[in-house]
Amino acid sequence: MTYEQTTYRYDSQEYRLAKFKKEFPERFNMHYSTMYYVFTFFALMVDQRAKNMFLTRWKDEDGKYRWYPYFYDNDTIFGINNVGALVFDYFHEDTDQINSSDVYNGQNSVLWYNFRMCFASEIKNLYASLRSDKLLDYDKLINQYVTEGSDKWSANIYNADAEYK
């Protein structure tokens, strides 16, 4: 197989990454997937690339169905773990480990590992653009999740969740 002027004669990691890079945009919505990756990194959404991610298909503008990673159960964001404790600092990268355990669940999944390896410049460029244009900043994120979100919830929601856990 030949990808970007390189011919691969044997199955190898380089071949598989080249194949992934070529075929990913044919099967996934590239912009949405990159945005999903950046946002899950920015908000330290440690479960959103594994058990709290749904894959769903929608028809894109070109009429083709593509996969979209979709948010589900945002209980492990901003450094909060599965039992509701604030355990992760904001500065963690999505490849970090603490006490030999991955910070992000699914950080070694083939999908997100290949995505990170193949589209590093796209991830970096989107993140830099969102930050420099002030579209993605901590104050806006807290405003949306806390002021416009959880501050408006009834206390019964918190009580019911605490009783359940």
Side-chain angles (χ1 to χ4, degrees), residues 77-78 137-154 158:
I77 63 175
F78 307 128
D137 68 23
Y138 188 71
D139 290 335
K140 283 186 179 183
L141 198 62
I142 292 300
N143 181 60
Q144 284 304 116
Y145 276 92
V146 178
T147 308
E148 298 298 324
S150 61
D151 279 354
K152 295 182 178 180
W153 296 346
S154 163
Y158 292 105

Side-chain angles (χ1 to χ4, degrees), residues 3-61:
Y3 297 110
E4 296 184 8
Q5 293 89 32
T6 301
T7 300
Y8 300 90
R9 300 192 191 290
Y10 304 100
D11 189 6
S12 65
Q13 181 179 12
E14 292 79 18
Y15 160 72
R16 289 181 183 206
L17 287 173
K19 181 176 171 54
F20 182 90
K21 187 171 187 173
K22 164 83 169 76
E23 294 181 5
F24 185 88
E26 297 169 10
R27 292 175 170 70
F28 282 77
N29 181 286
M30 187 65 196
H31 177 73
Y32 189 90
S33 298
T34 309
M35 183 66 78
Y36 185 91
Y37 190 94
V38 166
F39 192 73
T40 57
F41 166 74
F42 181 79
L44 196 64
M45 301 174 98
V46 299
D47 280 347
Q48 290 297 353
R49 296 192 198 147
K51 70 181 189 75
N52 286 355
M53 178 189 72
F54 282 164
L55 286 176
T56 191
R57 284 178 16 133
W58 288 314
K59 191 183 288 189
D60 279 349
E61 303 82 33

Side-chain angles (χ1 to χ4, degrees), residues 71-86:
F71 292 100
Y72 166 74
D73 189 15
N74 295 319
D75 63 340
T76 52
I77 63 175
F78 307 128
I80 297 172
N81 69 7
N82 284 323
V83 295
L86 183 59

Side-chain angles (χ1 to χ4, degrees), residues 35-143:
M35 183 66 78
Y36 185 91
Y37 190 94
V38 166
F39 192 73
T40 57
F41 166 74
F42 181 79
L44 196 64
M45 301 174 98
V46 299
D47 280 347
Q48 290 297 353
R49 296 192 198 147
K51 70 181 189 75
N52 286 355
M53 178 189 72
F54 282 164
L55 286 176
T56 191
R57 284 178 16 133
W58 288 314
K59 191 183 288 189
D60 279 349
E61 303 82 33
D62 63 3
K64 294 181 181 177
Y65 282 94
R66 288 191 175 81
W67 291 102
Y68 286 72
Y70 195 72
F71 292 100
Y72 166 74
D73 189 15
N74 295 319
D75 63 340
T76 52
I77 63 175
F78 307 128
I80 297 172
N81 69 7
N82 284 323
V83 295
L86 183 59
V87 296
F88 301 117
D89 291 314
Y90 70 92
F91 56 78
H92 286 296
E93 298 289 335
D94 56 355
T95 55
D96 284 350
Q97 291 191 325
I98 297 176
N99 299 325
S100 301
S101 294
D102 294 342
V103 170
Y104 279 75
N105 296 315
Q107 71 189 37
N108 293 316
S109 76
V110 173
L111 173 66
W112 294 116
Y113 173 83
N114 286 353
F115 190 84
R116 183 171 53 244
M117 297 300 292
C118 291
F119 302 113
S121 62
E122 289 85 347
I123 294 166
K124 179 181 175 182
N125 291 341
L126 180 60
Y127 180 80
S129 172
L130 292 170
R131 295 288 289 180
S132 67
D133 294 343
K134 305 264 190 257
L135 297 173
L136 186 63
D137 68 23
Y138 188 71
D139 290 335
K140 283 186 179 183
L141 198 62
I142 292 300
N143 181 60

